[in-house]
Amino acid sequence: MSNDVPTTPEASTAYGSYVTADDVARAAGVSRWTVNRAFRKDASISAKAREKVMQAAADLGYIPDLRAAGLASARSVSARSNLVALLIDDFANPHKLVMLEHLTRALRQGGWDILLVNTLDTDDTAPALRHASQRRVDATILIGIQFRDEILDQVHQGGRQPKLIVFARTSQVDGVISIAVDDQAATRCIAEYVTQRGFRRPFYLAGPRTFSAHLLRKETFMEYWVQKHEHTPETAWIGAYDSQKAESLIRESLRGRAAGALPDVIVCENDALALGAIDAIRHDLKLRVPEDIAVIGFDDVPQAAGANYRLTTYRQPLAEMAAYLVEVLEAQEPMQSRMFLGELVARETA
């Protein structure tokens, strides 16, 4: 039999149309049940049988539906689909694409398929979770700012999802696993750096105040500064992690101020806000970074290292976080939430 064009009657019938597990079973001389098990990495099957199935599948150009295979091979709640749902929002934030790159690479290397769902707004989380449940996903991973803990609690209590995982934020819901950077430790590291560099008039630029898990970055910085320096920094917040909105806010907040009334450093809740702040300082206010106003971000997105910015920022250990996510998915026993430590990356803006 050629590896390019199948020549058996069964293969000829299927080739060029939708190839089913039954077609592969006939070509390999095995049962449909054996075909389904051959494509499940956790299934018990002899090496000889698996080789026959894989050769027949290659000859026919068969692509398995792992969800259907899971239903056919086991009618129990313990059957795995090897499919996870990623619920994501806030695409104006460039760090989302960085997270997606790390997550999808780790998941695919671990043998997991991915259902990507754009949660359009806060009210869309519950329908998105129901949609994922109907697709028989093994876990739902939430990456965003619009989910509500009470919705996660309802879903978890209702037994709708085998695993619920919040990535890059924390959740207070029992049974929901959080995988995130330690925001409080990271922010204290930033605050100590600001102090050591001699800055005394910080301006803290925060992101959206949402119903989702809170980052605690602004609160941690404010608490540190009041305890250390005995005065409260100036603050502002923006409804989205959007560079253009950050540029507009900084421009309007600082325009017309005397030099002594300007902050000497703007500490931003993430890099998207920091990039916008730099644009406002340089292009709108005609000031210098860092000589007139320094800027610090959080995340270390690719643009941060570029020649136009050279942003001082805090790098999240996304590769380690994604690797732990795969461990959580593979584990048979319940896993614990985990917080990670990153590192401060000092560049030219502060």
Side-chain angles (χ1 to χ4, degrees):
M1 181 182 296
S2 168
N3 286 334
D4 297 321
V5 180
T7 57
T8 65
E10 295 88 349
S12 297
T13 300
Y15 195 77
S17 60
Y18 181 74
V19 182
T20 69
D22 289 329
D23 297 322
V24 177
R26 284 193 296 270
V30 298
S31 68
R32 177 189 175 93
W33 179 83
T34 300
V35 173
N36 290 334
R37 292 183 68 80
F39 284 94
R40 294 181 60 84
K41 64 181 180 180
D42 57 345
S44 175
I45 183 174
S46 71
K48 183 178 180 180
R50 188 186 299 275
E51 182 179 357
K52 289 172 63 177
V53 170
M54 292 303 177
Q55 183 60 55
D59 291 340
L60 294 172
Y62 173 67
I63 300 175
D65 182 341
L66 295 180
R67 289 167 291 150
L71 284 169
S73 63
R75 297 291 181 177
S76 68
V77 295
S78 62
R80 276 176 43 170
S81 65
N82 286 88
L83 178 69
V84 297
L86 289 182
L87 272 59
I88 187 168
D89 60 35
D90 187 29
F91 283 96
N93 180 0
H95 196 234
K96 284 297 188 296
L97 296 179
V98 179
M99 282 194 284
L100 274 177
E101 179 185 0
H102 282 275
L103 283 175
T104 53
R105 181 188 298 118
L107 288 168
R108 292 306 304 273
Q109 288 177 344
W112 295 88
D113 288 322
I114 303 156
L115 173 66
L116 183 63
V117 181
N118 182 358
T119 48
L120 305 175
D121 52 42
T122 303
D123 295 332
D124 194 43
T125 302
L129 287 168
R130 287 194 296 269
H131 176 71
S133 177
Q134 292 166 355
R135 294 299 187 95
R136 291 193 68 252
V137 300
D138 292 323
T140 299
I141 305 162
L142 295 106
I143 314 170
I145 62 174
Q146 299 189 95
F147 61 85
R148 300 169 182 254
D149 261 355
E150 58 264 33
I151 293 177
L152 300 189
D153 189 39
Q154 293 171 7
V155 172
H156 180 70
Q157 295 299 328
R160 299 292 300 277
Q161 301 282 349
K163 291 180 181 177
L164 280 173
I165 302 167
V166 174
F167 191 85
R169 285 187 176 236
T170 58
S171 173
Q172 303 304 312
V173 176
D174 290 339
V176 174
I177 300 171
S178 297
I179 301 173
V181 72
D182 188 333
D183 284 311
Q184 291 177 298
T187 303
R188 284 193 292 268
C189 177
I190 292 171
E192 290 168 0
Y193 180 82
V194 170
T195 297
Q196 292 167 3
R197 297 287 290 176
F199 298 112
R200 293 297 179 266
R201 301 190 310 278
F203 181 116
Y204 195 93
L205 183 56
R209 310 294 89 186
T210 67
F211 291 101
S212 69
H214 201 41
L215 292 176
L216 295 176
R217 295 175 190 171
K218 173 188 171 185
E219 291 81 356
T220 302
F221 187 88
M222 300 291 283
E223 180 182 354
Y224 174 95
W225 204 262
V226 169
Q227 290 179 352
K228 183 75 174 180
H229 301 283
E230 298 184 344
H231 75 88
T232 302
E234 184 177 0
T235 64
W237 67 275
I238 298 177
Y241 292 117
D242 186 300
S243 295
Q244 292 184 347
K245 292 182 178 180
E247 179 182 0
S248 176
L249 185 145
I250 293 299
R251 180 181 64 241
E252 297 305 317
S253 297
L254 303 185
R255 183 158 49 191
R257 293 193 190 188
L262 291 170
D264 55 7
V265 61
I266 299 177
V267 180
C268 301
E269 195 169 83
N270 81 346
D271 285 350
L273 304 183
L275 300 181
I278 291 172
D279 288 341
I281 294 167
R282 288 175 173 165
H283 305 300
D284 299 325
L285 303 175
K286 308 302 181 184
L287 298 173
R288 299 167 299 167
V289 178
E291 292 85 353
D292 297 315
I293 304 175
V295 179
I296 298 177
F298 198 114
D299 288 333
D300 197 25
V301 300
Q303 298 96 314
N308 289 333
Y309 292 104
R310 301 296 300 158
L311 175 67
T312 294
T313 185
Y314 191 91
R315 179 184 295 155
Q316 296 200 50
L318 290 179
E320 296 176 44
M321 293 162 61
Y324 184 68
L325 171 64
V326 175
E327 288 184 37
V328 170
L329 294 174
E330 297 285 355
Q332 300 299 315
E333 300 297 325
M335 298 284 281
Q336 299 297 315
S337 295
R338 183 175 171 186
M339 291 194 294
F340 291 76
L341 292 177
E343 61 177 327
L344 185 72
V345 181
R347 297 194 180 100
E348 297 172 9
T349 63

